[in-house]
Amino acid sequence: MTDQRLCYQGRVVDVYRERVRLPNDARVELDIVRHPGGAAAVALDDQGRVCLLRQYRHAAAGWLWELPAGKLDPGESPRTTVERELVEEAGMAAADWVSLGRLHSSPGVLTEVIHLYLARDLSPRALAHEHGELIEVHWIPLEMALGRCHSGDITDAKTLVGLFRAAALLQAPRARGVAADEGMATGETA
């Protein structure tokens, strides 16, 4: 049971005050920020480099390293969003897309869900940065990007999760291959 009251309606988010009954029967009042969601791409080229955007974010009081990403438009699928954003922000299209799952940005107050994808088999397109976007496009080796995650240089949640999930996915076939090879040496079957 939910009782909602719209407190603020904006261009990107709406803020509601909601009275809800939790699964333990407790009744609470929550402020919920409703967001349409987004999608982000870990774009990996044939040299093993990943696209990272150095983007100015006023809310973060400075420049952040981020994956190409954007907000879902009404009626738009996450895959359509991420394809559009990769072209607009990074100047690339991808022929190979693999889902890396989704993440909840801040589930205590925000409904935003971000869908993550690994994008490969890239081809150049014209950049189309929006007015008011300050973006630098950089291509760095995936291992270096992961190092920046570990060092704290990369702090954006979708970028951290996307890079780590992509690295795990890319290493999984090698790990399975090693295990199968070891099994064959000992006579075990996979």
Side-chain angles (χ1 to χ4, degrees), residues 72-156:
L72 274 65
D73 286 340
E76 188 175 53
S77 72
R79 173 72 182 269
T80 300
T81 297
V82 76
E83 288 176 357
R84 171 178 46 79
E85 291 293 335
L86 185 60
V87 171
E88 288 177 6
E89 293 187 343
M92 288 288 165
D96 181 29
W97 291 92
V98 177
S99 173
L100 296 173
R102 59 193 185 119
L103 70 95
H104 291 89
S105 302
S106 183
V109 295
L110 184 61
T111 63
E112 179 184 42
V113 173
I114 299 176
H115 302 265
L116 302 169
Y117 294 88
L118 175 62
R120 293 181 288 192
D121 194 9
L122 304 174
S123 56
R125 298 290 188 272
L127 284 169
H129 294 166
E130 294 177 18
H131 175 75
E133 285 184 323
L134 297 175
I135 297 175
E136 299 172 0
V137 180
H138 297 265
W139 290 88
I140 66 170
L142 178 58
E143 291 302 318
M144 182 182 291
L146 293 169
R148 288 181 177 183
C149 292
H150 288 292
S151 73
D153 189 33
I154 294 176
T155 60
D156 175 62

